[in-house]
């Protein structure tokens, strides 16, 4: 292992039969190298476990990468990242790329050219080749709010999604609700499944029936919440309460209730998730699970900066606590229901 750590870029270039200039282009994400040659040289770098030596002067920015910018949710994370980066004398570059699972494959070439001090990614995972490229170039990364289940060696900051689902449902049960539906996020996201597992645990512990049609997988956006809530409220034995897996879905559920002539919380109780700023300005104000989005951004940035400085990190995975915030959108169920 020690011999691999000492190998130089020139030695790898000689072994691969290319010039040092060509190898440097690949290392720096330049596009003027044939794809087949690039792939072959990446294999050489990976086989030798090559890591670029730390430069004496750190880059002046942190790169923050989303797959989409939803203003309310994203701004919480952005502000957390900016606070820590600015305190360290760094700026933040914002990039939108890929889908909710991982950034676009071409994103990696751009980040290698930009060479940030570190990268904070709001995704569930990044591919093995992307991880190897970032590692070999000495660019640390941290995943924030992982929607999947990152490998143990992947630095990540998340929150207690199962506990959040449990607390939201338990609150409704304690108010006296028995018919409780849940609208979570996409079925292929671990956070969506964890919140539903928390819901199921609370319902089972209380001895309450869980009807399969009461569990819905949405998209974390208002439209999905409204569509599923409209279907739920049209059922013969409609639920008296809905746990929405995001505040935006809760907003959609409240809109559906209003269209159906129902009052929140007199006729229907609604609990959201995230505690975005909008939750305090809804009418009624939204009872929700506070997810520490801003602090997640802060902790992810602190971690990536420690990694960029070569500091020892005791744990690569951090899950922050969630808690219930009771406001005006929940109450006891209507008499007889």
């Amino acid at each position: 292992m020690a011999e691999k750590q000492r190998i130089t870029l020139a030695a790898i270039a000689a072994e691969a039969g290319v010039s040092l200039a060509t190898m440097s282009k690949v290392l720096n994400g330049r596009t003027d190298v044939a794809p087949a040659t690039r792939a072959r040289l990446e294999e050489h770098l990976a086989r030798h476990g090559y890591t670029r030596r730390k430069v004496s002067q750190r880059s002046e920015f942190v790169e923050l990468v989303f797959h989409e910018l939803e203003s309310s949710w994203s701004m919480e994370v952005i502000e957390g990242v900016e606070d820590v980066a600015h305190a360290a004398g760094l700026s933040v570059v914002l990039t939108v790329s890929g889908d909710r699972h991982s950034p676009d494959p071409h994103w990696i070439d751009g980040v290698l050219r930009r060479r940030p001090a570190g990268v904070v990614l709001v995704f569930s995972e990044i591919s093995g080749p992307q991880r190897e490229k970032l590692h070999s170039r000495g660019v640390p990364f941290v995943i924030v709010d992982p929607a999947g289940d990152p490998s143990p060696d992947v630095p990540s900051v998340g929150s207690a999604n199962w506990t959040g689902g449990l607390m939201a449902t338990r609150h409704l049960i304690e108010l006296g609700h028995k018919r409780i539906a849940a609208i979570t996020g996409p079925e292929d996201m671990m956070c969506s499944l964890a919140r539903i597992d928390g819901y199921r645990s609370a319902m089972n512990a209380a001895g309450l029936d869980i009807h399969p049609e009461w569990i819905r997988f949405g998209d974390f956006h208002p439209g999905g919440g409204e569509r599923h809530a409209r279907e739920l409220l049209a059922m013969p034995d409609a639920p008296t309460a809905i746990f929405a897996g995001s505040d935006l879905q809760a907003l959609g559920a409240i809109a559906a209730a209003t269209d159906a002539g129902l009052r929140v919380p007199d006729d229907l109780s609604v609990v959201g998730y995230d505690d975005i700023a909008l939750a305090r300005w809804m009418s009624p104000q939204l009872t929700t699970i506070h997810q520490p989005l801003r602090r997640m951004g802060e902790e992810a940035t602190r971690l990536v900066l420690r990694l960029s400085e070569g500091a020892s990190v005791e744990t690569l995975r951090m899950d922050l606590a969630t808690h219930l915030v009771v406001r005006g959108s929940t109450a006891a169920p209507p008499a007889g229901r």
Side-chain angles (χ1 to χ4, degrees):
M1 180 60 69
E3 182 178 351
K4 287 185 178 180
Q5 290 175 341
R6 289 195 302 267
I7 194 165
T8 65
L9 193 64
I12 298 177
E15 176 187 274
V18 299
S19 67
L20 178 58
T22 298
M23 184 60 79
S24 295
K25 288 180 180 180
V26 171
L27 195 67
N28 292 312
R30 292 272 297 275
T31 58
D32 52 342
V33 178
T37 301
R38 178 186 300 278
R40 181 169 63 86
L41 298 185
E42 290 288 357
E43 290 177 3
H44 280 273
L45 290 169
R47 185 168 64 252
H48 287 286
Y50 178 83
T51 303
R52 188 199 300 267
R53 291 182 179 179
K54 298 289 183 182
V55 295
S56 56
Q57 185 176 1
R58 188 172 63 182
S59 173
E60 296 182 351
F61 70 93
V62 171
E63 183 156 343
L64 174 58
V65 191
F66 288 88
H67 80 278
E68 66 176 359
L69 286 178
E70 188 290 303
S71 58
S72 301
W73 193 97
S74 303
M75 280 306 302
E76 296 278 344
V77 178
I78 292 171
E79 289 173 358
V81 172
E82 286 185 330
D83 284 350
V84 174
H86 292 170
L90 303 175
S91 58
V92 176
V93 170
L94 186 62
T95 300
V96 178
S97 175
D99 57 27
R100 61 178 175 263
H101 296 292
S102 62
D104 186 275
H106 300 295
W107 162 79
I108 191 70
D109 295 327
V111 79
L112 296 183
R113 290 192 298 272
R114 293 188 289 273
R115 295 181 63 181
V119 182
V120 175
L121 300 121
V122 187
F123 294 94
S124 58
E125 186 61 280
I126 62 173
S127 68
Q130 287 178 330
R131 289 166 54 187
E132 290 177 0
K133 288 180 180 180
L134 291 173
H135 176 72
S136 66
R137 277 67 168 187
V139 179
F141 70 92
V142 174
I143 295 177
V144 68
D145 188 40
D149 188 15
S151 305
D153 60 339
V154 173
S156 64
V157 177
S159 66
N161 289 292
W162 180 87
T163 302
L166 179 79
M167 288 189 295
T169 311
R170 184 176 289 167
H171 169 67
L172 294 168
I173 293 170
E174 290 173 349
L175 288 172
H177 292 275
K178 294 181 173 59
R179 300 206 302 273
I180 304 171
I183 306 172
T184 190
E187 196 168 3
D188 60 352
M189 295 179 72
M190 190 64 72
C191 60
S192 304
L193 300 175
R195 292 170 195 177
I196 284 296
D197 284 345
Y199 158 85
R200 286 195 179 100
S201 295
M203 295 287 281
N204 289 332
L208 298 177
D209 293 334
I210 304 175
H211 296 284
E213 62 269 25
W214 286 357
I215 297 177
R216 302 299 181 100
F217 290 93
D219 56 7
F220 286 145
H221 294 295
E226 183 177 12
R227 181 178 68 256
H228 286 295
R230 188 182 299 115
E231 294 173 0
L232 289 165
L233 296 174
M235 292 179 176
D237 290 323
T240 61
I242 294 176
F243 162 46
S246 74
D247 289 345
L248 293 179
Q249 287 187 145
L251 178 63
I254 291 173
T258 301
D259 288 346
L262 302 176
R263 296 168 298 169
V264 175
D266 297 339
D267 302 311
L268 177 73
S269 287
V270 178
V271 178
Y273 202 107
D274 289 330
D275 195 21
I276 59 177
L278 182 63
R280 295 185 291 276
W281 296 100
M282 292 182 186
S283 181
Q285 291 185 324
L286 185 65
T287 294
T288 186
I289 297 298
H290 177 79
Q291 183 172 207
L293 297 169
R294 186 170 188 144
R295 190 179 162 215
M296 288 161 66
E298 292 172 351
E299 294 296 345
T301 310
R302 290 190 184 102
L303 179 54
V304 83
L305 292 181
R306 287 201 299 271
L307 293 171
S308 74
E309 294 164 354
S312 175
V313 177
E314 293 183 3
T315 177
L316 294 176
R317 178 67 182 262
M318 180 184 301
D319 285 318
L320 304 180
T322 53
H323 66 267
L324 176 70
V325 180
V326 179
R327 297 195 180 100
S329 65
T330 52
R337 298 186 66 192

